[in-house]
Amino acid sequence: MKAMTQREVPEIMTDLRQDLIHVPTVIRQCTGIRIFGKRIKSIVYSTDIAIIRNIDADAVIAVYPFTPHPTITKSITEAADIPVFSGVGGGTTQGKRSVQMSSFAESQGAIGVVVNSPTQPETIADIFDTVDIPIVATVTSIYSQIDEKIAAGAKKILNVSAGKETAKVVRAIREIYPKIPIIATGGPTEESIAETIEAGANAITYTPPSNGELFSKKMTKYREKERVMADDEPLNH
């Protein structure tokens, strides 16, 4: 029997789990962020419970383009088997509602709350005074109010989502704040992810294929299997 080397990682898998979604391996090159003892490198960007339950990411960032609602937060945190960063608004949803959503997210077990880029420093300060989990402040461009957000209480984590400029923005933040934890979108390729990590991101958010895209591939396999089993004979009518 071949001896296992020190760097080999034993893996347990079953036939029913073979369709697990894997995050890009390059993400493992980043340092990660340790939150309450849990080291997080890869973060799936999704609110789809089926996706969340079938991906090997370290955590999930559950933000969406609607007014945050307790039912959505509760459903995701209960279904997820990985830590959840819960979106609490800050764009259309401001002030007390964002604070209330933050308190609810904490009570449901979220590991952190995510505020949108337009969130006012006053709202961040109120959330900071209310919850005992990290505030993740979203940065969408080099023009975001980064200094004000950090001063208001977003001392824990920045979430950079600046499209094709993400690596550039991460690099600029790193020059001013060399130690602040940064989550950043990695982009569509391993090269863009590697660039973002090199720029200074500690953790990477990954957008998985949609449920529809995944099911389309599976249906193609099903059709091919049926064709082979039928020995190329078409349906008889």
Side-chain angles (χ1 to χ4, degrees):
M1 183 176 179
K2 182 182 176 182
M4 182 178 292
T5 64
Q6 189 174 3
R7 296 185 64 84
E8 284 186 69
V9 179
E11 182 175 5
I12 308 299
M13 186 63 68
T14 66
D15 291 341
L16 299 181
R17 302 287 184 119
Q18 291 296 326
D19 291 329
L20 188 73
I21 304 170
H22 297 280
V23 300
T25 55
V26 67
I27 295 178
R28 296 302 169 192
Q29 296 179 9
C30 65
T31 64
I33 302 171
R34 197 179 300 278
I35 304 175
F36 306 139
K38 296 179 177 66
R39 190 176 183 181
I40 296 171
K41 293 186 177 184
S42 57
I43 305 171
V44 58
Y45 170 52
S46 180
T47 55
D48 189 316
I49 292 174
I51 296 290
I52 293 169
R53 290 288 302 187
N54 290 279
I55 192 167
D56 64 357
D58 300 324
V60 54
I61 185 165
V63 295
Y64 44 92
F66 309 103
T67 299
H69 196 280
T71 302
I72 298 174
T73 299
K74 185 174 186 291
S75 299
I76 293 172
T77 52
E78 285 185 350
D81 55 357
I82 52 178
V84 175
F85 294 95
S86 182
V88 295
T92 303
T93 306
Q94 288 276 357
K96 289 184 178 180
R97 184 172 178 88
S98 288
V99 176
Q100 291 168 350
M101 282 299 304
S102 298
S103 182
F104 181 81
E106 181 183 27
S107 70
Q108 290 297 307
I111 200 171
V113 293
V114 185
V115 294
N116 294 335
S117 183
T119 307
Q120 295 301 308
E122 294 80 9
T123 298
I124 293 176
D126 289 340
I127 295 173
F128 182 77
D129 290 337
T130 302
V131 300
D132 189 41
I133 53 178
I135 301 171
V136 182
T138 302
V139 175
T140 54
S141 76
I142 201 69
Y143 304 106
S144 296
Q145 295 177 302
I146 299 172
D147 296 335
E148 291 85 348
K149 291 176 180 179
I150 292 175
K155 297 182 177 69
K156 302 296 185 182
I157 304 171
L158 294 180
N159 173 41
V160 181
S161 181
K164 63 182 181 180
E165 299 293 319
T166 294
K168 178 180 178 181
V169 174
V170 169
R171 193 173 291 109
I173 294 172
R174 230 351 129 225
E175 291 178 359
I176 303 172
Y177 299 101
K179 294 186 178 181
I180 194 165
I182 296 176
I183 297 170
T185 54
T189 67
E190 293 217 351
E191 289 75 18
S192 62
I193 294 172
E195 181 185 7
T196 305
I197 294 172
E198 179 65 25
N202 302 107
I204 297 293
T205 57
Y206 168 68
T207 303
S210 70
N211 209 323
E213 291 171 323
L214 293 170
F215 222 109
S216 177
K217 292 179 180 179
K218 176 156 285 192
M219 294 301 288
T220 298
K221 291 181 181 179
Y222 289 163
R223 286 190 287 269
E224 178 61 20
K225 184 177 180 179
E226 289 177 346
R227 186 192 66 77
V228 173
M229 291 179 65
D231 196 25
D232 292 332
E233 289 292 331
L235 291 172
N236 294 317
H237 297 281

